[in-house]
Amino acid sequence: MKRALVLCSVLALFGAGACGSSSGKSRDANAAARSATTAPTPTPAAQALKVWQTKPPWPLADRQADRIAEAGLPTLTAEGSHVHFHAHLDVFDNGEAVKVPAGVGIDFVRQVISPLHTHFDSGIIHVESNTDEAVTLGQFLTEWGVRVADDCIGDVCPPNPAALYVNGAKQTGPINEFVLRPNLQLALILGTPPPKIPATYDCSQNPQDACDQIPQP
């Protein structure tokens, strides 16, 4: 809880209603003007980004501004105001829950934020963009620092690939290319699935985070 409160305080730097709902009505009229895109400083080749290729847990990776760029997303000085919705992600490794970290897509050193990010470790993904461009689960995992290359996710690779369930239904097609949208409960399954794959998310578990547009029990 302490870390969550710190994240909300620091996000005031972006002029963001970071921990609120997606109504957007409470944002002041200058939010879009504050959301100017900034270009991160290029990373020397000698300092290539490291990725998690091991079993979870996967802590939040460093150099988030560089990872946002690696994901092909813009770095903003405030959350975008044109698109705003939430989805919830559960990750399971051989039946055990994996924590989705707070601060994915947020660089507190460079004071920039991605349109695809988390504020808390609740698993709630915020999409707050100035454009209608689609964002994917693979881009989110790239920001987190998880390997998504060669059809692998972390240490899980074919012929035993990961599985993705959305609102309880197993998906087909590449997981990394799955497009995020409102009203989604995602479950990323690595190895043996848990006894029950969640199809909804109980917002009362994390009342401090925005939770509208996510399927409820």
Side-chain angles (χ1 to χ4, degrees), residues 117-128:
H117 56 268
T118 63
H119 296 302
F120 298 88
D121 61 5
S122 61
I124 294 176
I125 299 173
H126 294 243
V127 179
E128 297 174 80

Side-chain angles (χ1 to χ4, degrees), residues 179-194:
V179 175
L180 300 178
R181 57 187 186 275
N183 303 310
L184 296 185
Q185 159 58 41
L186 310 173
L188 178 60
I189 310 299
L190 310 171
T192 304

Side-chain angles (χ1 to χ4, degrees), residues 73-193:
L73 294 168
T75 49
L76 310 174
T77 56
E79 293 168 306
S81 58
H82 178 63
V83 173
H84 186 180
F85 67 85
H86 309 111
H88 184 260
L89 173 65
D90 282 303
V91 180
F92 296 95
D93 178 45
N94 288 316
E96 297 293 325
V98 176
K99 184 74 72 176
V100 178
V104 175
I106 302 173
D107 194 312
F108 295 107
V109 176
R110 300 191 191 182
Q111 298 187 15
V112 294
I113 187 169
S114 167
L116 178 61
H117 56 268
T118 63
H119 296 302
F120 298 88
D121 61 5
S122 61
I124 294 176
I125 299 173
H126 294 243
V127 179
E128 297 174 80
S129 176
N130 288 325
T131 72
D132 290 318
E133 185 176 357
V135 292
T136 67
L137 182 56
Q139 288 174 305
F140 179 77
L141 294 172
T142 296
E143 291 181 339
W144 183 350
V146 178
R147 176 173 67 162
V148 293
D150 304 319
D151 294 325
C152 298
I153 295 180
D155 70 327
V156 176
C157 299
N160 299 304
L164 178 66
Y165 289 75
V166 177
N167 298 347
K170 188 174 183 178
Q171 303 299 294
T172 59
I175 292 174
N176 298 339
E177 297 176 10
F178 183 83
V179 175
L180 300 178
R181 57 187 186 275
N183 303 310
L184 296 185
Q185 159 58 41
L186 310 173
L188 178 60
I189 310 299
L190 310 171
T192 304

Side-chain angles (χ1 to χ4, degrees), residues 3-76:
R3 179 177 178 179
L5 294 174
V6 170
L7 283 168
C8 280
S9 299
V10 177
L11 279 169
L13 292 170
F14 302 114
C19 302
S21 72
S22 65
S23 67
K25 301 298 184 182
S26 62
R27 298 185 179 206
D28 65 53
N30 295 321
R34 291 198 305 268
S35 300
T37 301
T38 61
T41 303
T43 302
Q47 299 179 15
L49 296 173
K50 297 180 180 179
V51 297
W52 297 116
Q53 302 184 46
T54 58
K55 285 178 60 63
W58 299 318
L60 177 66
D62 61 358
R63 294 164 53 195
Q64 280 294 299
D66 293 325
R67 295 180 190 277
I68 295 168
E70 182 78 8
L73 294 168
T75 49
L76 310 174

Side-chain angles (χ1 to χ4, degrees), residues 196 199-205 211 214-217:
K196 182 178 180 181
T200 60
Y201 172 68
D202 183 1
C203 285
S204 66
Q205 298 179 56
C211 199
I214 297 175
Q216 297 297 298

